[in-house]
Amino acid sequence: MKIFKRIVNMIDDPSRSLQERTFILLTTIAEIAVLLVFIADIILREDIREIAVLGTVLITSPLISFICVRRHRTKLAGTIIVFCVVFIIMPVTFFFGGGMFGGAIIWYSFAYLYIGLLLTGVLRTIMIILLTVLAGVEYYVAYFHSNLIVPHTNRMFYLDSLVSVILVGIVIYIMVWFQNRLFLSENKRAEEQKKEIEALNASQNQFFSSMSHEIRTPINTIIGLNEMILKENISDEVAEDAANIQAASKMLLHLINDILDMSKFQSGQMKITPVPYHPGDMLSEIVGMLWIRAKEKKLEFHVSVAPDIPDELMGYEVRIKQILINVINNAIKYTKEGSVSLSIQCGERNGNELNIIYTVTDTGIGIKKESMPYLFTAFKRVDEEKNRHIEGTGLGLSIVKQFVDLMGGKITVNSVYTKGSTFIIEIPQNVISENHIGNIDLEKRHELGVRNVRTSKFEAPDAHVLVVDDNASNLLVVSKLLRETKVKIDTVSGGAEALNKTLNTAYNVIFMDHLMPEMDGIECHRKIRAQVGGMCRESKIVALTANAGGENRALYEAEGFDGYLVKPVSGEELEKELYRLLPNDLVYVTGNNEEILEETISWMHKNQRKKPVAITTESVADLPQELLDKHSIDVIPHIVCTTEGKFKDGIEIETDGLLNYMRDPSHKVTTLAPNVQEHETFFAKQLSIANNVIHISISSKLVQSGCPIATEAARAFDNVTVIDTLHLSSGQGLMVLEACRLAEKGLPPADITKRLNDLRSHIHTSFIVDNLDFLARAGQINKRIADITKSLMARPVLVLQNGKMGVGKIFFGSQKRSWKKYIDSVLRNSSKMDKSILFVTHVGLTKRDMDWIKEYIGSKAKFDRIYFQKASPAIAVNCGAGTFGLLWREDMNDHSSAQL
Ligand code: ADP
């Protein structure tokens, strides 16, 4: 009885899985049924073999079930039992229990039910098929080979059949009843859980809304009283503190409002009511609020309102204002330079209902493609790494989206990462007045307001300017005229003094007189540009001269001056010129700068036309500086990690120094590719000077390759393509040079990519290394192999094949002999080599070694250019001193790198 109770408890235990509970029930019922059959068989004197099998099942089945249930392996137990039923019990009871004239056939319905309820997946299908096949076989045997079956007497048949019908019927009845009960109790439980969650949500929302209300009251007091303080006659310090309190309290209030809105949305209690309003007034209010914020960040702020917008609308004014403020605020927040614009237009009209389309565009940081899906998710701030200095909660856009949805509108976003975003919001509203809003110039309205209070146009206290003039009063005039801009001004009276200054001080702008004794302005300009170690080689230099006339402008332009001003110069002219030439981050606009901006923009358009494609690569591409400069190839450095710290390859660490450092075997050195964020910053910088970037990367199949990282980073942009060269070192460099050649020819990026992919298998990268110690130290090969090759005086050739590094030929004997053999083996391909360029890329070779190599190559084949290129530290780490490789490309007829 106790055991029976325990079993019932187990079946009712909701902490057990449904499958487990069903299993326990089914197996228990089946056990009882088999016990009854067993007893009946004894009474009816059934075949002894059948009785024996049933007896065995009676003992083993509970045993299996017990073990499996304890170990929570019900599925296994079910499978074993089903197997026994199908392959043992069913055939035995059939063949020894009278075949068609016994009870076995009736038990088939039970077997089907058992399998259907207990097994899952493929196993269930297999078992059902097997059971069916078995039934077929048994029927077949019973019909054609009835002699194989132990027959029943008529009386036995009736009795056996009756017992089976009753037992199977009861078993099926209990099973269905139990399933039904289970279903109902589970339903009830789910219902209860749902109610609990709803109650929890409601109390949480209640908590949020009451908390928000409670917090808002004191904040309003703080803001109100603080405003009073600001109106008092207070010291600057107190005023600054009060202004900070005001900003912080407003921010807090904003946050509380957002949380309150959010909780209302979550509890489904957000209600909005439409009111009649004048869009002109609403927009004026919004622009008035945000205009100053944009100006503070030195952003242009444009507003354009279509004149056909109705004068009066019926809509959710407060919420539309909230939406626009949120989106424009974000545009300002996430834009460092450039502009933010708002445009309002009429969309589709359906009777009285008119769609108003608000478009907010910025030239800010943009949004990564992969972040787009999360943009409207509450509390989710995308690109957090980059935005960590920008305040925000990730609630704004989520609320915006929910309001737009509630109003039956829609919001769409277009964004190009690093270039800017456009949010388009469309909201249907009812037209009240058919009068049009007409031409309203919100921009002018607010700009005038700003202009009235401020006098000076811009300030640049961190900018540094040098004025060179032999006339002392001219120096004084220029200094005074620029005083309001607060730039730091140094003055000198001649070329020699100017050069002294430019050696140590990085001036942003230099105003240079032309005619001066000893050294004139043009000569001084040339010397500043070429000054060894000079800080002003890239500075903006403006000719400030009494030489008027068009021909002079041409002269200064040809000389490379950045500007030209004629004396006597006005303060305004000087300011305009400074504004045009100073870097944006040094200039703070304090007044109307429309004119200056216009000129700046046209100047920028003239001077900063982007190139169609920038070719970039990694430091490990081992290209000579001369070629990098010639083709303006920007290089992202790999990182060399030593026990002393991390260093940028080729910038902070040089190969020779590193080799010295590595002489000590205890000095561990490894290399790393730059991370995704570093790549993203690198690409973003490239995209400010080019419309597309093709980044030529080291083989992705090498350890610590930068290729997968660059590919990952490129996903954030639409126009960055990463090429997996399947090479390294100058082999990768050869691909870079080909990319430059194609880009300079004006091929579109897709064509360049295709040509480069075709070229990969026609480039040959190999190195003969002195020994494999360094590779073993870097963990690229087994140390034992390195020791064996060394003891055999073997010099292996490392070859890049399909992007993987492998050992090719091995040369034995002295160093020179091996080198000769290596060079011979490479130059054996001489007929198919592109002879315009050959890289001899090396680690730690002496001048004598190089001369010898050059001479030996020269005696075998003639190349237009042989570049002896020191391998970058990142390569040296893996190869060690005494390594060099001949890296070459095949001549592909249609083009050659000769022009390079
Ligand atoms: P937050 O309070 O962080 O600004 P939002 O919900 O307003 O939250 O915006 C979510 C995220 O979307 C921001 O964290 C930001 O990364 C991104 N984002 C929103 N607007 C812009 C925009 N104009 N330019 C670039 N990123 C934006």
Side-chain angles (χ1 to χ4, degrees), residues 258 326-335 360 362 364-367 371 374-384 387 390-400 415 420-423:
D258 277 356
N326 240 315
V327 175
I328 301 172
N329 215 0
N330 272 351
I332 297 172
K333 238 175 23 174
Y334 297 105
T335 303
V360 178
D362 65 59
I365 59 170
I367 300 158
S371 301
Y374 312 108
L375 209 59
F376 299 112
T377 311
F379 297 105
K380 179 96 188 156
R381 305 199 65 210
V382 300
D383 210 359
E384 291 216 44
N387 294 340
I390 305 174
E391 280 178 1
T393 55
L395 271 180
L397 283 185
S398 162
I399 292 172
V400 163
S415 186
S421 318
T422 301
F423 285 76

Side-chain angles (χ1 to χ4, degrees), residues 148-203:
L148 295 176
I149 291 170
V150 178
H152 262 168
T153 61
N154 206 25
R155 179 173 157 269
M156 269 283 255
F157 162 56
Y158 275 98
L159 280 174
D160 194 11
S161 174
L162 181 66
V163 170
S164 298
V165 165
I166 293 170
L167 285 180
V168 170
I170 291 173
V171 166
I172 291 178
Y173 164 78
I174 295 177
M175 275 186 188
V176 173
W177 166 79
F178 172 74
Q179 286 290 319
N180 212 12
R181 186 169 154 257
L182 213 61
F183 173 75
L184 289 177
S185 74
E186 284 301 308
N187 245 3
K188 202 169 145 207
R189 228 154 53 93
E191 211 41 54
E192 275 164 10
Q193 271 177 352
K194 197 174 142 212
K195 274 191 195 140
E196 264 172 40
I197 292 169
E198 274 170 4
L200 202 71
N201 259 348
S203 70

Side-chain angles (χ1 to χ4, degrees), residues 29 37 53 102 185 215 250 261 290 309 430 479 501 517 550 564 584 620 651 694 696 880 884 893:
I29 304 169
V37 173
V53 168
S185 74
I215 297 178
K250 282 196 172 153
D261 281 345
L290 299 166
I309 300 269
N430 283 326
S479 307
K501 289 269 184 195
Y564 164 70
N584 278 353
V620 289
I651 298 174
I694 296 183
I696 317 283
F884 75 94
N893 289 329

Side-chain angles (χ1 to χ4, degrees), residues 16 28 79 131 242 249 266 276 295 297 334 342 348 362 383 386 493 572 588 637 642 664 715 748 768 786 900:
R16 288 179 186 273
T28 315
T79 313
L131 188 67
S249 341
Q266 278 175 358
K295 284 287 150 193
K297 281 192 78 180
Y334 297 105
L342 163 71
E348 261 179 48
D362 65 59
D383 210 359
K386 203 163 174 181
S493 60
E572 200 179 43
Y588 305 102
T642 71
D664 181 343
R715 278 200 203 112
I768 179 161
L900 296 163

Side-chain angles (χ1 to χ4, degrees), residues 90 94 104-113 131-132 134-135 138:
M90 296 308 292
F94 184 83
I105 291 301
I106 297 162
W107 283 95
Y108 265 94
S109 6
F110 171 73
Y112 274 108
L113 190 72
L131 188 67
T132 313
L134 187 75
E138 287 178 359

